[in-house]
mmCIF file of all heavy atoms in Angstrom:
data_model
loop_
_atom_site.group_PDB
_atom_site.id
_atom_site.type_symbol
_atom_site.label_atom_id
_atom_site.label_comp_id
_atom_site.label_asym_id
_atom_site.label_seq_id
_atom_site.Cartn_x
_atom_site.Cartn_y
_atom_site.Cartn_z
ATOM 1 N N GLY R 743 -11.231 -118.840 155.129
ATOM 2 C CA GLY R 743 -12.256 -118.137 154.345
ATOM 3 C C GLY R 743 -12.615 -116.787 154.957
ATOM 4 O O GLY R 743 -12.811 -115.788 154.257
ATOM 5 N N ILE R 744 -12.693 -116.749 156.289
ATOM 6 C CA ILE R 744 -12.989 -115.490 156.995
ATOM 7 C C ILE R 744 -11.843 -114.493 156.771
ATOM 8 O O ILE R 744 -12.069 -113.320 156.468
ATOM 9 C CB ILE R 744 -13.177 -115.746 158.514
ATOM 10 C CG1 ILE R 744 -14.362 -116.687 158.786
ATOM 11 C CG2 ILE R 744 -13.279 -114.434 159.286
ATOM 12 C CD1 ILE R 744 -15.702 -116.038 158.936
ATOM 13 N N ILE R 745 -10.620 -114.970 156.914
ATOM 14 C CA ILE R 745 -9.478 -114.059 156.765
ATOM 15 C C ILE R 745 -9.386 -113.571 155.313
ATOM 16 O O ILE R 745 -9.067 -112.406 155.053
ATOM 17 C CB ILE R 745 -8.157 -114.745 157.209
ATOM 18 C CG1 ILE R 745 -8.238 -115.161 158.690
ATOM 19 C CG2 ILE R 745 -6.960 -113.825 156.975
ATOM 20 C CD1 ILE R 745 -8.438 -114.031 159.675
ATOM 21 N N LYS R 746 -9.707 -114.446 154.363
ATOM 22 C CA LYS R 746 -9.661 -114.018 152.951
ATOM 23 C C LYS R 746 -10.751 -112.996 152.636
ATOM 24 O O LYS R 746 -10.518 -112.040 151.896
ATOM 25 C CB LYS R 746 -9.777 -115.228 152.019
ATOM 26 C CG LYS R 746 -8.421 -115.910 151.800
ATOM 27 C CD LYS R 746 -8.541 -117.205 151.046
ATOM 28 C CE LYS R 746 -9.006 -117.023 149.625
ATOM 29 N NZ LYS R 746 -9.207 -118.343 148.967
ATOM 30 N N PHE R 747 -11.947 -113.189 153.202
ATOM 31 C CA PHE R 747 -13.002 -112.185 152.947
ATOM 32 C C PHE R 747 -12.578 -110.832 153.506
ATOM 33 O O PHE R 747 -12.722 -109.788 152.852
ATOM 34 C CB PHE R 747 -14.357 -112.672 153.499
ATOM 35 C CG PHE R 747 -14.989 -111.840 154.597
ATOM 36 C CD1 PHE R 747 -15.392 -110.526 154.371
ATOM 37 C CD2 PHE R 747 -15.199 -112.377 155.867
ATOM 38 C CE1 PHE R 747 -15.975 -109.769 155.397
ATOM 39 C CE2 PHE R 747 -15.775 -111.622 156.879
ATOM 40 C CZ PHE R 747 -16.152 -110.315 156.644
ATOM 41 N N LEU R 748 -12.009 -110.843 154.698
ATOM 42 C CA LEU R 748 -11.602 -109.585 155.320
ATOM 43 C C LEU R 748 -10.438 -108.954 154.552
ATOM 44 O O LEU R 748 -10.418 -107.736 154.337
ATOM 45 C CB LEU R 748 -11.226 -109.832 156.787
ATOM 46 C CG LEU R 748 -12.409 -110.200 157.696
ATOM 47 C CD1 LEU R 748 -11.928 -110.848 158.997
ATOM 48 C CD2 LEU R 748 -13.257 -108.960 158.021
ATOM 49 N N GLY R 749 -9.495 -109.779 154.112
ATOM 50 C CA GLY R 749 -8.342 -109.266 153.356
ATOM 51 C C GLY R 749 -8.762 -108.697 152.009
ATOM 52 O O GLY R 749 -8.250 -107.672 151.557
ATOM 53 N N PHE R 750 -9.718 -109.357 151.373
ATOM 54 C CA PHE R 750 -10.224 -108.899 150.080
ATOM 55 C C PHE R 750 -10.905 -107.532 150.228
ATOM 56 O O PHE R 750 -10.636 -106.595 149.480
ATOM 57 C CB PHE R 750 -11.208 -109.942 149.535
ATOM 58 C CG PHE R 750 -11.767 -109.617 148.185
ATOM 59 C CD1 PHE R 750 -10.986 -109.746 147.041
ATOM 60 C CD2 PHE R 750 -13.081 -109.186 148.044
ATOM 61 C CE1 PHE R 750 -11.509 -109.445 145.786
ATOM 62 C CE2 PHE R 750 -13.612 -108.887 146.798
ATOM 63 C CZ PHE R 750 -12.828 -109.022 145.663
ATOM 64 N N GLU R 751 -11.771 -107.408 151.222
ATOM 65 C CA GLU R 751 -12.458 -106.125 151.445
ATOM 66 C C GLU R 751 -11.453 -105.021 151.782
ATOM 67 O O GLU R 751 -11.639 -103.865 151.412
ATOM 68 C CB GLU R 751 -13.436 -106.257 152.611
ATOM 69 C CG GLU R 751 -14.542 -107.253 152.334
ATOM 70 C CD GLU R 751 -15.909 -106.650 152.566
ATOM 71 O OE1 GLU R 751 -16.130 -106.142 153.672
ATOM 72 O OE2 GLU R 751 -16.726 -106.668 151.637
ATOM 73 N N GLN R 752 -10.416 -105.423 152.497
ATOM 74 C CA GLN R 752 -9.425 -104.440 152.942
ATOM 75 C C GLN R 752 -8.741 -103.756 151.755
ATOM 76 O O GLN R 752 -8.370 -102.585 151.836
ATOM 77 C CB GLN R 752 -8.386 -105.146 153.835
ATOM 78 C CG GLN R 752 -7.643 -104.227 154.784
ATOM 79 C CD GLN R 752 -8.425 -103.916 156.059
ATOM 80 O OE1 GLN R 752 -9.017 -104.793 156.656
ATOM 81 N NE2 GLN R 752 -8.418 -102.658 156.469
ATOM 82 N N ILE R 753 -8.588 -104.465 150.634
ATOM 83 C CA ILE R 753 -7.928 -103.874 149.449
ATOM 84 C C ILE R 753 -8.665 -102.603 149.029
ATOM 85 O O ILE R 753 -8.063 -101.555 148.802
ATOM 86 C CB ILE R 753 -7.973 -104.852 148.241
ATOM 87 C CG1 ILE R 753 -7.341 -106.202 148.582
ATOM 88 C CG2 ILE R 753 -7.298 -104.235 147.019
ATOM 89 C CD1 ILE R 753 -7.601 -107.271 147.496
ATOM 90 N N PHE R 754 -9.983 -102.707 148.930
ATOM 91 C CA PHE R 754 -10.790 -101.599 148.402
ATOM 92 C C PHE R 754 -10.983 -100.515 149.458
ATOM 93 O O PHE R 754 -10.990 -99.333 149.158
ATOM 94 C CB PHE R 754 -12.128 -102.149 147.889
ATOM 95 C CG PHE R 754 -11.918 -103.262 146.899
ATOM 96 C CD1 PHE R 754 -12.012 -104.592 147.283
ATOM 97 C CD2 PHE R 754 -11.535 -102.979 145.603
ATOM 98 C CE1 PHE R 754 -11.759 -105.620 146.384
ATOM 99 C CE2 PHE R 754 -11.275 -103.997 144.695
ATOM 100 C CZ PHE R 754 -11.390 -105.322 145.089
ATOM 101 N N LYS R 755 -11.162 -100.957 150.709
ATOM 102 C CA LYS R 755 -11.298 -100.001 151.819
ATOM 103 C C LYS R 755 -10.047 -99.138 151.909
ATOM 104 O O LYS R 755 -10.123 -97.913 151.995
ATOM 105 C CB LYS R 755 -11.486 -100.776 153.124
ATOM 106 C CG LYS R 755 -11.673 -99.911 154.345
ATOM 107 C CD LYS R 755 -11.454 -100.651 155.643
ATOM 108 C CE LYS R 755 -12.353 -101.861 155.784
ATOM 109 N NZ LYS R 755 -12.338 -102.396 157.169
ATOM 110 N N ASN R 756 -8.884 -99.794 151.891
ATOM 111 C CA ASN R 756 -7.639 -99.058 152.054
ATOM 112 C C ASN R 756 -7.428 -98.091 150.899
ATOM 113 O O ASN R 756 -6.930 -96.974 151.075
ATOM 114 C CB ASN R 756 -6.468 -100.033 152.202
ATOM 115 C CG ASN R 756 -6.554 -100.821 153.519
ATOM 116 O OD1 ASN R 756 -7.514 -100.672 154.270
ATOM 117 N ND2 ASN R 756 -5.565 -101.651 153.793
ATOM 118 N N SER R 757 -7.822 -98.520 149.710
ATOM 119 C CA SER R 757 -7.744 -97.641 148.549
ATOM 120 C C SER R 757 -8.613 -96.396 148.757
ATOM 121 O O SER R 757 -8.209 -95.273 148.455
ATOM 122 C CB SER R 757 -8.176 -98.431 147.315
ATOM 123 O OG SER R 757 -8.366 -97.591 146.211
ATOM 124 N N LEU R 758 -9.813 -96.591 149.298
ATOM 125 C CA LEU R 758 -10.736 -95.465 149.515
ATOM 126 C C LEU R 758 -10.188 -94.414 150.480
ATOM 127 O O LEU R 758 -10.558 -93.245 150.401
ATOM 128 C CB LEU R 758 -12.077 -95.974 150.077
ATOM 129 C CG LEU R 758 -13.027 -96.647 149.095
ATOM 130 C CD1 LEU R 758 -14.227 -97.222 149.857
ATOM 131 C CD2 LEU R 758 -13.499 -95.655 148.042
ATOM 132 N N THR R 759 -9.306 -94.819 151.383
ATOM 133 C CA THR R 759 -8.772 -93.848 152.349
ATOM 134 C C THR R 759 -7.918 -92.794 151.648
ATOM 135 O O THR R 759 -7.645 -91.738 152.222
ATOM 136 C CB THR R 759 -7.878 -94.509 153.433
ATOM 137 O OG1 THR R 759 -6.700 -95.041 152.794
ATOM 138 C CG2 THR R 759 -8.610 -95.601 154.185
ATOM 139 N N GLY R 760 -7.428 -93.109 150.436
ATOM 140 C CA GLY R 760 -6.550 -92.187 149.723
ATOM 141 C C GLY R 760 -5.110 -92.282 150.195
ATOM 142 O O GLY R 760 -4.240 -91.551 149.731
ATOM 143 N N LEU R 761 -4.826 -93.210 151.114
ATOM 144 C CA LEU R 761 -3.482 -93.345 151.678
ATOM 145 C C LEU R 761 -2.796 -94.565 151.062
ATOM 146 O O LEU R 761 -3.465 -95.467 150.542
ATOM 147 C CB LEU R 761 -3.590 -93.456 153.204
ATOM 148 C CG LEU R 761 -4.264 -92.223 153.844
ATOM 149 C CD1 LEU R 761 -4.663 -92.482 155.284
ATOM 150 C CD2 LEU R 761 -3.352 -91.008 153.749
ATOM 151 N N PRO R 762 -1.453 -94.615 151.110
ATOM 152 C CA PRO R 762 -0.733 -95.684 150.401
ATOM 153 C C PRO R 762 -0.645 -96.990 151.189
ATOM 154 O O PRO R 762 0.394 -97.337 151.741
ATOM 155 C CB PRO R 762 0.659 -95.069 150.195
ATOM 156 C CG PRO R 762 0.836 -94.148 151.358
ATOM 157 C CD PRO R 762 -0.525 -93.626 151.717
ATOM 158 N N ILE R 763 -1.736 -97.731 151.244
ATOM 159 C CA ILE R 763 -1.761 -99.004 151.974
ATOM 160 C C ILE R 763 -2.460 -100.083 151.144
ATOM 161 O O ILE R 763 -3.546 -99.876 150.611
ATOM 162 C CB ILE R 763 -2.456 -98.852 153.364
ATOM 163 C CG1 ILE R 763 -3.677 -97.918 153.299
ATOM 164 C CG2 ILE R 763 -1.462 -98.372 154.414
ATOM 165 C CD1 ILE R 763 -4.430 -97.752 154.610
ATOM 166 N N GLY R 764 -1.798 -101.241 151.057
ATOM 167 C CA GLY R 764 -2.366 -102.399 150.368
ATOM 168 C C GLY R 764 -3.270 -103.180 151.317
ATOM 169 O O GLY R 764 -3.511 -102.762 152.451
ATOM 170 N N GLY R 765 -3.769 -104.332 150.847
ATOM 171 C CA GLY R 765 -4.740 -105.081 151.650
ATOM 172 C C GLY R 765 -4.189 -106.370 152.233
ATOM 173 O O GLY R 765 -3.567 -107.170 151.528
ATOM 174 N N GLY R 766 -4.423 -106.584 153.521
ATOM 175 C CA GLY R 766 -4.040 -107.840 154.179
ATOM 176 C C GLY R 766 -4.904 -108.068 155.399
ATOM 177 O O GLY R 766 -5.617 -107.157 155.850
ATOM 178 N N LYS R 767 -4.871 -109.258 155.926
ATOM 179 C CA LYS R 767 -5.625 -109.571 157.149
ATOM 180 C C LYS R 767 -5.048 -110.836 157.759
ATOM 181 O O LYS R 767 -4.505 -111.678 157.045
ATOM 182 C CB LYS R 767 -7.099 -109.809 156.820
ATOM 183 C CG LYS R 767 -8.024 -109.656 158.013
ATOM 184 C CD LYS R 767 -8.410 -108.205 158.223
ATOM 185 C CE LYS R 767 -9.175 -107.983 159.492
ATOM 186 N NZ LYS R 767 -9.724 -106.619 159.553
ATOM 187 N N GLY R 768 -5.204 -110.981 159.061
ATOM 188 C CA GLY R 768 -4.716 -112.206 159.694
ATOM 189 C C GLY R 768 -5.498 -112.498 160.951
ATOM 190 O O GLY R 768 -6.515 -111.861 161.232
ATOM 191 N N GLY R 769 -5.014 -113.471 161.702
ATOM 192 C CA GLY R 769 -5.687 -113.794 162.950
ATOM 193 C C GLY R 769 -5.486 -115.231 163.348
ATOM 194 O O GLY R 769 -4.588 -115.917 162.856
ATOM 195 N N SER R 770 -6.375 -115.661 164.243
ATOM 196 C CA SER R 770 -6.276 -117.023 164.763
ATOM 197 C C SER R 770 -7.618 -117.435 165.349
ATOM 198 O O SER R 770 -8.427 -116.585 165.732
ATOM 199 C CB SER R 770 -5.205 -117.088 165.854
ATOM 200 O OG SER R 770 -5.209 -118.351 166.478
ATOM 201 N N ASP R 771 -7.806 -118.754 165.475
ATOM 202 C CA ASP R 771 -9.018 -119.267 166.115
ATOM 203 C C ASP R 771 -8.900 -119.258 167.646
ATOM 204 O O ASP R 771 -9.746 -119.806 168.342
ATOM 205 C CB ASP R 771 -9.354 -120.675 165.588
ATOM 206 C CG ASP R 771 -8.217 -121.663 165.805
ATOM 207 O OD1 ASP R 771 -7.145 -121.267 166.347
ATOM 208 O OD2 ASP R 771 -8.380 -122.839 165.428
ATOM 209 N N PHE R 772 -7.884 -118.622 168.168
ATOM 210 C CA PHE R 772 -7.724 -118.442 169.616
ATOM 211 C C PHE R 772 -8.857 -117.561 170.153
ATOM 212 O O PHE R 772 -9.206 -116.560 169.534
ATOM 213 C CB PHE R 772 -6.373 -117.772 169.890
ATOM 214 C CG PHE R 772 -6.139 -117.373 171.326
ATOM 215 C CD1 PHE R 772 -5.820 -118.321 172.279
ATOM 216 C CD2 PHE R 772 -6.231 -116.032 171.721
ATOM 217 C CE1 PHE R 772 -5.587 -117.949 173.604
ATOM 218 C CE2 PHE R 772 -5.995 -115.650 173.036
ATOM 219 C CZ PHE R 772 -5.670 -116.613 173.977
ATOM 220 N N ASP R 773 -9.405 -117.927 171.315
ATOM 221 C CA ASP R 773 -10.482 -117.141 171.927
ATOM 222 C C ASP R 773 -9.960 -116.452 173.180
ATOM 223 O O ASP R 773 -9.749 -117.106 174.211
ATOM 224 C CB ASP R 773 -11.649 -118.074 172.289
ATOM 225 C CG ASP R 773 -12.862 -117.297 172.774
ATOM 226 O OD1 ASP R 773 -12.776 -116.052 172.855
ATOM 227 O OD2 ASP R 773 -13.896 -117.932 173.053
ATOM 228 N N PRO R 774 -9.749 -115.131 173.127
ATOM 229 C CA PRO R 774 -9.202 -114.448 174.305
ATOM 230 C C PRO R 774 -10.186 -114.424 175.488
ATOM 231 O O PRO R 774 -9.780 -114.170 176.619
ATOM 232 C CB PRO R 774 -8.938 -113.014 173.831
ATOM 233 C CG PRO R 774 -9.278 -112.957 172.387
ATOM 234 C CD PRO R 774 -10.021 -114.204 172.015
ATOM 235 N N LYS R 775 -11.466 -114.703 175.219
ATOM 236 C CA LYS R 775 -12.484 -114.627 176.285
ATOM 237 C C LYS R 775 -12.203 -115.622 177.403
ATOM 238 O O LYS R 775 -11.989 -116.808 177.142
ATOM 239 C CB LYS R 775 -13.851 -114.951 175.706
ATOM 240 C CG LYS R 775 -14.605 -113.714 175.371
ATOM 241 C CD LYS R 775 -16.095 -113.963 175.309
ATOM 242 C CE LYS R 775 -16.687 -112.950 174.379
ATOM 243 N NZ LYS R 775 -16.878 -113.412 173.038
#
Side-chain angles (χ1 to χ4, degrees):
I744 298 272
I745 300 299
K746 276 172 66 184
F747 118 64
L748 291 162
F750 182 74
E751 297 233 305
Q752 203 82 44
I753 304 169
F754 306 99
K755 181 197 303 192
N756 293 3
S757 169
L758 284 174
T759 66
L761 300 166
I763 39 178
K767 200 85 188 189
S770 173
D771 58 359
F772 173 76
D773 187 358
K775 263 202 207 96

